[in-house]
Amino acid sequence: MKKQNLITLIIIPLLLGQQGFAQKKSDPLKNGRAGFDYFIGIVGNPSVTEDIKWDDQQLNDLKELGINMLQLSIAWGGKPADEVINLEDLEDPEQMEKWKYRIIQAEKHGFKTLAHFGIPRMLNFDPVKPACISDPAVQQEYVRKVKKFMADFPTVNDMLVYTFDQQAWICSEFGPCPRCSGIPINDRLAYFLSLLKDAMVESRPDGKAMLWWKPWELSKGQTLETVKGVSKGNFGLMLNSSTSNEVYPFNDGSLKSDLGLKRLIQYALELNIPVVGEFDHTLYKGLYQIDDYFPRLIYEQMAGWKELEGVVGVKEYYGFAPSTYSVNYAMLKAWMKNPDASLDELLQQIAAPYGKKTAPFMIKAWEYVAQAVEAFPWDVSYLIGPLGLDKGEKGEHRWDYVKIVNGTWDTPIWESNRRANFILTDAKTAHPWIFEDTGIRLRDAAQLNRKAVEYFDQAIALNEKMSDDIKKQRDFINNTARSLEGKGIHYMLTVASQDARTVQYDQKQFEKVCARIQILLQDDIKNGYKMAETKLTEFDRDPRTWLKQNFHPLTWRSEAEPDWNKWIAP
């Protein structure tokens, strides 16, 4: 054998890594998916469950988008449309038949398939009681379940596993479990994942099945250590665009600016472990007062994944709702076909259907919507709905002092890295400056949305093409602006009222603060809140009495509830 051929035999497998996954992307013009090896899609999304059809038209559309692998179920915690979320769900004959149909449809249209499960399923949900991954009986049971799944569905290509969330959980090393107490999660989890992966590979004659793991709810350090301990080959990572947040389509502590994410991808590359990056082109469409009108953020999100060496694919996080037209979807499709095009080129392309004269106004409007999304105070609390984005918000508010609803969970990421992302997690009190900051930023986001509305109005006035769609976008963004403005005013009135009470014995200072309250109430009126007219009249008549009755944090109240942490069953 020639020396050159011998070098080729040795070097090429090393370059390709496990299962031939070269850490480079192919020509985007050849595969229509921006050069990624994987473009994974979800049929339908949780907020438009009637779109979960798996019919020929829907799959043709996803094929046209460039998708080459389909996730077989939504697999969300709330189980929308009674979707499969755990292996145990497939014990139901109806679920089995549903999946068999989906697999037939996927193969008919040339898609690979991805099964998504939470493993191991919790024994109890409230309070949480995990199925212990250190229990030999649990290990053997899930090896058996994986092998049975692979036998029942012999053509399914890969499996995606959550080990937290998706009705899965892991014992804490600081908890009461006799097997896990004192043993770090990563030591236990790496072994368990290796068992699942090996069971998959043993069930496939060609040995090509891949186990993708999403390290949801684990800390950055735990994820690194777990990846280090998983047996080599047939293993990949599915990562959010941020190690401390959920998938949001904007670059705030995400992608290249998220150092934890960069390190995970770099480490995976060193170990020849492929990475698939998750993206969201809707931002929880249908749940909040945000809709698909910010294409620049989609462009930046996708370009961010493409720039990271070691990322071999992308997966949509929230699903596709084909019955609802989406500007963001149009950008995603355009980018996938031509990822090297500039942002301006792609914006011109997706705005063209609105007409030559109208297109520039639409591009301007979408840019202001994108800026409004970026301006929202995402870092204040995980629970964004009460910060003005809940669908029921109309820009009106109570006349009691405002509160920030915070949230946290007893998982490693929430007790470590995610605390660096959200200002409020489990604190019962916070400095007034946080409330002031939140109010200012909510109103800033509202004003940016209002600028978008101005451009939508100019586009509508041209009456060129797609007027109904423009009106729909305009009305939605206008409602969002009103909601955020009203919520922001509530925050500012709370702070200003307390300021006035603080200086009420200094008439000169008191008058200055009262003038600020008057302006805020006038802004409330401009925002369409009728009750603010009455409140302003009352304030002008007797501001000191008004301050005792409105936004007063020291009014007497009595609230009590059981301390449930002390009354949890063993």
Side-chain angles (χ1 to χ4, degrees):
M1 182 179 291
K2 293 181 179 180
K3 183 178 181 181
Q4 182 178 358
N5 291 341
L6 180 61
I7 292 173
T8 301
L9 287 172
I10 296 172
I11 297 297
I12 293 299
L14 291 175
L15 291 176
L16 290 176
Q18 61 176 35
Q19 292 298 312
F21 278 99
Q23 299 293 353
K24 65 178 182 178
K25 304 175 183 67
S26 57
D27 183 351
L29 299 180
K30 290 183 179 180
N31 66 21
R33 52 179 180 270
F36 288 117
D37 295 327
Y38 293 88
F39 182 8
I40 305 170
I42 300 173
V43 180
N45 74 35
S47 57
V48 194
T49 54
E50 60 269 21
D51 276 344
I52 307 174
K53 296 176 182 176
W54 288 78
D55 57 22
D56 290 340
Q57 180 61 53
Q58 194 159 347
L59 297 195
N60 279 330
D61 289 345
L62 294 179
K63 191 77 172 180
E64 173 62 24
L65 179 59
I67 288 171
N68 67 336
M69 177 176 271
L70 292 176
Q71 184 172 310
L72 288 167
S73 64
I74 298 286
W76 281 71
K79 297 191 70 172
D82 192 29
E83 290 285 284
V84 168
I85 193 172
N86 304 109
L87 278 163
E88 288 81 356
D89 293 326
L90 287 171
E91 295 169 4
D92 180 349
E94 290 187 11
Q95 296 283 24
M96 284 274 291
E97 290 305 310
K98 182 167 72 176
W99 268 41
K100 286 179 180 178
Y101 169 74
R102 291 179 178 184
I103 292 166
I104 290 171
Q105 281 292 93
E107 292 174 348
K108 172 183 171 182
H109 290 271
F111 292 103
K112 294 182 178 180
T113 50
L114 176 72
H116 180 182
F117 303 114
I119 300 178
R121 189 171 73 171
M122 301 176 199
L123 300 177
N124 192 64
F125 303 106
D126 189 16
V128 169
K129 185 178 182 182
C132 177
I133 61 173
S134 298
D135 185 344
V138 171
Q139 295 170 357
Q140 294 165 16
E141 176 68 9
Y142 278 95
V143 166
R144 183 191 68 79
K145 285 181 184 294
V146 167
K147 288 184 175 181
K148 182 178 186 304
F149 169 78
M150 301 297 280
D152 289 341
F153 299 96
T155 60
V156 168
N157 299 92
D158 296 347
M159 184 184 295
L160 167 62
V161 170
Y162 276 53
T163 46
F164 261 109
D165 213 336
Q166 308 304 337
Q167 298 187 1
W169 213 262
I170 299 174
C171 299
S172 169
E173 69 195 83
F174 310 110
C177 178
R179 292 170 293 268
C180 299
S181 181
I183 310 299
I185 284 177
N186 44 271
D187 288 351
R188 294 174 274 131
L189 184 54
Y191 178 72
F192 186 70
L193 288 171
S194 298
L195 286 177
L196 299 180
K197 177 174 66 70
D198 293 345
M200 286 182 61
V201 176
E202 290 170 12
S203 302
R204 288 285 182 265
D206 59 8
K208 288 185 178 180
M210 284 285 294
L211 178 72
W212 299 93
W213 174 55
K214 181 158 183 179
W216 194 233
E217 299 299 327
L218 291 184
S219 72
K220 300 174 187 179
Q222 287 172 336
T223 302
L224 278 173
E225 288 298 300
T226 300
V227 168
K228 184 189 299 183
V230 176
S231 59
K232 305 304 178 187
N234 302 83
F235 179 70
L237 284 177
M238 199 80 70
L239 298 178
N240 283 357
S241 58
S242 167
T243 47
S244 295
N245 206 339
E246 290 209 29
V247 177
Y248 293 135
F250 51 80
N251 195 21
D252 176 18
S254 59
L255 297 170
K256 294 184 77 172
S257 65
D258 186 313
L259 299 181
L261 181 72
K262 281 185 68 177
R263 178 58 187 137
L264 287 176
I265 294 173
Q266 178 189 47
Y267 191 56
L269 184 62
E270 293 169 5
L271 297 177
N272 287 315
I273 294 174
V275 172
V276 168
E278 290 194 325
F279 69 94
D280 179 0
H281 77 293
T282 70
L283 195 52
Y284 301 140
K285 183 182 182 75
L287 290 185
Y288 301 112
Q289 294 197 64
I290 296 181
D291 218 320
D292 301 7
Y293 312 134
F294 42 90
R296 171 174 62 82
L297 303 186
I298 305 309
Y299 174 91
E300 291 176 353
Q301 183 183 198
M302 302 314 299
W305 279 123
K306 191 170 187 295
E307 290 171 359
L308 291 167
E309 185 182 5
V311 177
V312 301
V314 289
K315 183 178 89 71
E316 217 291 329
Y317 180 66
Y318 202 67
F320 296 99
S323 66
T324 306
Y325 176 73
S326 166
V327 174
N328 290 359
Y329 178 92
M331 172 57 80
L332 174 63
K333 186 173 183 179
W335 183 87
M336 280 290 174
K337 303 300 181 188
N338 192 8
D340 295 325
S342 68
L343 172 62
D344 184 62
E345 287 178 272
L346 297 183
L347 286 171
Q348 295 289 345
Q349 179 181 328
I350 67 174
Y354 291 93
K356 188 174 182 180
K357 295 179 181 178
T358 306
F361 294 99
M362 298 302 293
I363 292 172
K364 279 283 191 180
W366 296 332
E367 172 56 25
Y368 277 116
V369 174
Q371 290 182 25
V373 171
E374 291 173 319
F376 184 85
W378 299 102
D379 56 340
V380 173
S381 171
Y382 174 83
L383 300 176
I384 57 175
L387 287 176
L389 289 180
D390 277 333
K391 294 182 73 174
E393 295 281 358
K394 297 183 293 186
E396 299 176 354
H397 55 78
R398 296 174 295 102
W399 297 91
D400 196 0
Y401 64 96
V402 74
K403 299 178 183 179
I404 295 176
V405 180
N406 54 37
T408 186
W409 287 262
D410 186 22
T411 66
I413 190 75
W414 274 105
E415 298 297 350
S416 56
N417 316 119
R418 203 161 281 167
R419 288 180 178 274
N421 192 82
F422 295 107
I423 299 170
L424 295 175
T425 52
D426 55 4
K428 301 299 182 185
T429 59
H431 198 285
W433 281 334
I434 295 178
F435 291 80
E436 178 191 62
D437 173 74
T438 304
I440 291 171
R441 292 163 68 192
L442 284 170
R443 298 191 73 191
D444 183 43
Q447 294 312 307
L448 289 165
N449 276 321
R450 288 243 159 90
K451 288 184 178 180
V453 170
E454 292 176 9
Y455 282 101
F456 282 131
D457 285 339
Q458 293 179 64
I460 292 167
L462 291 170
N463 197 27
E464 194 172 9
K465 294 179 180 179
M466 298 178 67
S467 294
D468 288 344
D469 182 67
I470 301 173
K471 290 175 183 176
K472 178 183 175 184
Q473 295 185 43
R474 185 259 181 216
D475 290 346
F476 190 98
I477 296 302
N478 190 55
N479 289 338
T480 304
R482 187 182 177 213
S483 173
L484 297 182
E485 175 75 354
K487 185 65 69 171
I489 291 172
H490 192 187
Y491 278 87
M492 301 306 290
L493 278 171
T494 295
V495 175
S497 296
Q498 186 61 18
D499 284 346
R501 282 186 286 269
T502 302
V503 302
Q504 62 184 318
Y505 302 107
D506 183 329
Q507 186 61 29
K508 186 176 180 180
Q509 289 294 96
F510 185 63
E511 288 175 359
K512 290 179 182 178
V513 183
C514 284
R516 193 164 99 233
I517 293 173
Q518 288 170 325
I519 291 172
L520 287 167
L521 290 171
Q522 289 165 2
D523 289 344
D524 236 353
I525 295 169
K526 292 176 186 175
N527 199 43
Y529 193 10
K530 288 289 185 183
M531 188 180 292
E533 296 177 6
T534 301
K535 291 292 183 178
L536 178 56
T537 301
E538 293 173 351
F539 182 80
D540 289 340
R541 184 170 58 241
D542 186 353
R544 284 181 170 79
T545 298
W546 192 92
L547 289 168
K548 293 177 181 178
Q549 299 170 346
N550 296 278
F551 309 113
H552 202 307
L554 302 178
T555 52
W556 172 256
R557 64 190 62 222
S558 175
E559 296 176 355
E561 63 180 46
D563 182 358
W564 293 116
N565 290 323
K566 295 181 179 179
W567 304 103
I568 293 178

